[in-house]
Amino acid sequence: MSTPPCPKCQSEYVYPDQNNLICPECGHEWNPTAVNSDDVVTVKDANGTLLVDGDKVTVAKDLKIKGSSQVIKIGTKAVIRRVLDKKDHELDCKVDGIGEMMVTAKFVKKA
């Protein structure tokens, strides 16, 4: 029997514990038989538009990359790989010319 991936982080290393499933990577615990609307992540861009996985976005302002001297310029395009439920850096993106990185949703606009 295969277990479904974690609804929060999409990890495939989920294991059962009594009636619940547990993700060892993010610590999320849920009942697979109960349907819960709280697991739906809603993230909005700088204009208030709802963002989902696969959306194409552009950077709304110049962003410094932490720990680097590089800057992501305004207008740089990116593709959202997945939307995460985090306090900061909600978007896992592939940024043109930079690569894979986490970006805060309030600094992008849907293209």
Side-chain angles (χ1 to χ4, degrees):
M1 178 181 145
S2 70
T3 56
C6 176
K8 288 214 175 199
C9 71
Q10 301 302 318
S11 171
E12 58 187 37
Y13 303 111
V14 173
Y15 63 90
D17 182 31
Q18 294 181 1
N19 294 333
N20 293 334
L21 293 176
I22 299 174
C23 175
E25 291 186 15
C26 71
H28 182 61
E29 187 173 326
W30 75 100
N31 186 342
T33 58
V35 177
N36 192 355
S37 63
D38 293 340
D39 291 338
V40 177
V41 179
T42 57
V43 175
K44 295 183 180 182
D45 68 357
N47 295 329
T49 307
L50 189 64
L51 298 172
V52 295
D53 297 352
D55 278 348
K56 295 179 184 190
V57 294
T58 57
V59 178
K61 68 178 246 175
D62 289 350
L63 300 174
K64 290 183 180 180
I65 299 174
K66 289 182 183 178
S68 173
S69 61
Q70 280 186 309
V71 175
I72 302 174
K73 294 289 189 181
I74 188 170
T76 303
K77 296 178 183 177
V79 176
I80 299 173
R81 293 185 48 209
R82 57 185 181 159
V83 177
L84 303 171
D85 186 22
K86 291 190 172 186
K87 180 180 176 184
D88 201 15
H89 299 92
E90 304 98 351
L91 306 174
D92 183 10
C93 297
K94 181 168 184 186
V95 181
D96 288 350
I98 306 292
E100 303 287 329
M101 65 183 352
M102 302 293 288
V103 179
T104 304
K106 67 182 178 182
F107 299 126
V108 299
K109 293 189 276 187
K110 193 169 181 177

